Amino acid sequence: MSKVTENYHIYLKATELAAIAAAKLRGNGDGKAADKVATEAMRKVLQESNAHTRVVIGEGERDDAPMLYIGEEMGNLDSDLKIDIAVDPLECTNHCAKNLPDALAVLAAAPRGALLHAPDTYMEKLCGSKELIGKLSLSNSVSENLKATSKALQKEISDLKIIVMDRDRHKELINEMNSLGVKPILIGDGDVSGGLKAAESSVDLLYGIGAAPEGVITATAVKAMGGFFEGKLYFMDQTFKERAITMLGDKINNTWSDDELCSSSDSFFVASGVCTGWIPGVIFDGDKAIVTSKIIFGDTKESKIITNEYLIGE
Ligand code: VTB
């Protein structure tokens, strides 16, 4: 194990406790409240970190996010071990509010400077399994990418399973898929689990525009899984574009691979299930909370499902 991955326990505990906190509010219609308690729970754990932990992707800037804001430093500030983290204490918030599948608490960690500091805007994402590496690109047309996927996976185009978020911005993408005989799997929310399902081949592709920060978290996992990921920032308006320029300069129009979004293999990704979907959600049983997580190591490429029980007092 290398340095960052050796410290995974504390980060696992952070997503586990965030998931439990959010799960207590599952289905109550208030995603913001669930996000808040998940963030508080995650932060409390991260403060115990032996490493000098810095948030590079978090809940927002210091002014608009009271905690886990970008630039927040926690843990042992004197430690030589400097770890950057990208967090989403409650990914797929709306699904937690409605008790629908795939809400997760997620975190990616890597050595200082290894995670792209993605601006809080959108990202066009294309993600799949290792068979697609070198064969697809966001610079190609949708039809070229679907034909290449069909060839690489030896499946009829019309049999391809492609996850797309159900959004107006994807009208054209969906129409193009339909014209090729593909009926995409439209999801309400949650393109992190969508990307991971594609990387592990339970579906063939994730295609479309979601949030950029979660793109970096997904890319860290996909890199460790040996899958294919490309992302390109997408700006809804000029304000977002200008903000991105202050952070990334002339790189804002880059197409980023997973290796560029997470440049170190001394990394790990952890997701704890809030609502059952890609992984099981939290189960409450009397005074116990049972939480399941998937952890993926960048150095060994090992992936584990870990289930832990916590006693929860009321
Ligand atoms: C959400 C969420 C996704 O992107 O939809 C968000 O469900 C942004 O899209 O999982 P909208 O603003 O259109 O809702 C993700 O958070 C992650 O990329």
Side-chain angles (χ1 to χ4, degrees):
M1 278 200 171
S2 46
K3 284 185 165 177
V4 173
T5 55
E6 269 167 26
N7 282 272
Y8 82 88
H9 285 103
I10 193 84
Y11 301 108
L12 167 65
K13 188 174 168 195
T15 57
E16 286 178 330
L17 293 190
I20 292 170
K24 286 183 184 164
L25 302 184
R26 256 179 335 213
N28 80 351
D30 190 349
K32 272 200 172 146
D35 191 32
K36 184 169 182 279
V37 293
T39 306
E40 283 166 0
M42 186 179 266
R43 182 168 189 263
K44 211 169 157 202
V45 178
L46 292 174
Q47 284 172 327
E48 295 164 17
S49 159
N50 279 331
H52 180 173
T53 300
R54 180 180 74 168
V55 179
V56 289
I57 286 179
E59 292 288 283
E61 302 293 339
R62 183 199 283 265
D63 294 342
D64 54 36
M67 54 185 73
L68 290 178
Y69 57 85
I70 296 163
E72 181 167 3
E73 300 185 30
M74 284 165 294
N76 175 3
L77 304 189
D78 296 325
S79 168
D80 289 339
L81 183 56
K82 310 282 180 202
I83 298 184
D84 278 353
I85 58 170
V87 300
D88 192 350
L90 184 54
E91 146 67 4
C92 201
T93 313
N94 293 333
H95 280 201
C96 176
K98 297 179 192 163
N99 202 2
L100 290 172
D102 287 328
L104 301 166
V106 293
L107 181 152
R112 188 75 21 119
L115 297 173
L116 184 88
H117 184 174
D120 192 7
T121 179
Y122 287 89
M123 180 184 269
E124 195 180 352
K125 305 171 192 178
L126 184 55
C127 181
S129 63
K130 61 173 183 301
E131 289 80 10
L132 302 175
I133 294 173
K135 300 190 178 133
L136 310 188
S137 171
L138 285 170
S139 323
N140 299 344
S141 66
V142 175
S143 143
E144 283 168 332
N145 282 329
L146 265 48
K147 285 179 187 158
T149 305
S150 138
K151 195 171 166 206
L153 302 181
Q154 300 180 338
K155 283 186 178 182
E156 294 293 327
I157 288 201
S158 56
D159 289 339
L160 292 178
K161 290 188 202 154
I162 307 180
I163 292 183
V164 175
M165 277 211 290
D166 192 4
R167 294 291 189 279
D168 284 348
R169 59 181 179 259
H170 290 146
K171 250 189 191 148
E172 218 175 291
L173 174 68
I174 294 168
N175 285 342
E176 271 186 85
M177 290 186 179
N178 290 163
S179 72
L180 292 159
V182 175
K183 291 197 172 60
I185 302 161
L186 298 180
I187 58 165
D189 280 285
D191 72 354
V192 172
S193 61
L196 299 173
K197 286 175 195 169
E200 67 184 17
S201 300
S202 45
V203 299
D204 299 312
L205 286 178
L206 166 84
Y207 213 145
I209 298 162
E214 285 84 351
V216 177
I217 298 177
T218 309
T220 305
V222 174
K223 175 184 165 98
M225 294 161 90
F228 167 81
F229 185 95
E230 258 189 21
K232 189 173 193 301
L233 295 181
Y234 176 89
F235 304 104
M236 295 300 238
D237 63 38
Q238 194 58 22
T239 324
F240 281 106
K241 192 167 186 174
E242 278 160 17
R243 205 169 113 65
I245 292 173
T246 62
M247 290 164 73
L248 294 171
D250 59 4
K251 292 186 185 153
I252 57 159
N253 294 318
N254 281 13
T255 299
W256 309 90
S257 68
D258 48 352
D259 286 329
E260 290 164 319
L261 295 172
C262 170
S263 62
S264 170
S265 51
D266 182 14
S267 66
F268 63 88
F269 163 88
V270 54
S272 299
V274 177
C275 301
T276 297
W278 178 59
I279 53 175
V282 177
I283 296 168
F284 294 104
D285 179 11
D287 59 355
K288 283 186 303 197
I290 303 157
V291 57
T292 301
S293 308
K294 175 115 169 173
I295 182 151
I296 309 172
F297 297 96
D299 53 352
T300 57
K301 312 282 184 224
E302 188 190 1
S303 143
K304 281 186 191 172
I305 289 277
I306 298 173
T307 300
N308 280 323
E309 282 185 14
Y310 287 87
L311 277 177
I312 45 166
E314 282 310 310

